[in-house]
Amino acid sequence: MGENATANLFLRVIFNNDAMLGPGKADLLEHIRETGSISAAGRRMGMSYKRAWTLVETMNTIFEEPLVDSVRGGPSGGGARLTAEGERVLAHYRSLQGRAYEAAQEDIAAIESMLKDVSGGK
């Protein structure tokens, strides 16, 4: 594949109660932290407000404490922020993601070396 080859490792954690945390939910949490808004976070990810809100509701339900605190819109405007628990969950997930990627590098490189070059010389 050469030096321009890249690989992504998608880590989805499924817990014994069928709760799931993966890259999409983690990215949504990150975007909420950055934008202060569930709708803006959803737009950044190309998803509807309804889908973003449903994912937030799911995360707030599956964890003992809510991960996102939101205030409805109105004259003063709405907003959303990660709770302390949300910050901790996101930090643990990103740490796990990074550690898994580092541990997988040898196998990723081995698989990449077996791929055909389909770039057409680009």
Side-chain angles (χ1 to χ4, degrees):
M1 287 265 329
E3 63 187 60
N4 292 329
T6 60
N8 292 310
L9 179 68
F10 293 95
L11 180 66
R12 180 171 290 139
V13 182
I14 302 173
F15 300 94
N16 62 357
N17 62 353
D18 292 332
M20 188 179 351
L21 183 63
K25 288 178 184 169
D27 289 349
L28 182 61
L29 290 174
E30 215 162 67
H31 290 309
I32 289 169
R33 181 176 59 198
E34 292 168 1
T35 65
S37 165
I38 294 170
S39 60
R43 279 192 303 274
R44 277 191 178 183
M45 297 180 69
M47 71 174 67
S48 70
Y49 173 77
K50 181 175 176 17
R51 176 72 178 140
W53 179 251
T54 299
L55 290 173
V56 167
E57 284 183 320
T58 298
M59 288 186 282
N60 281 348
T61 301
I62 65 175
F63 286 93
E64 294 239 350
E65 295 180 33
L67 303 189
V68 177
D69 184 28
S70 62
V71 176
R72 291 180 79 82
S76 61
R81 67 173 184 81
L82 296 192
T83 63
E85 189 79 352
E87 292 286 355
R88 284 192 295 274
V89 167
L90 181 58
H92 283 299
Y93 177 83
R94 292 300 189 209
S95 173
L96 178 60
Q97 191 178 34
R99 290 170 51 200
Y101 186 80
E102 288 301 315
Q105 284 303 295
E106 187 177 322
D107 292 317
I108 290 171
I111 293 168
E112 281 182 335
S113 72
M114 293 182 256
L115 294 173
K116 288 182 180 179
D117 183 357
V118 293
S119 66
K122 295 179 186 177

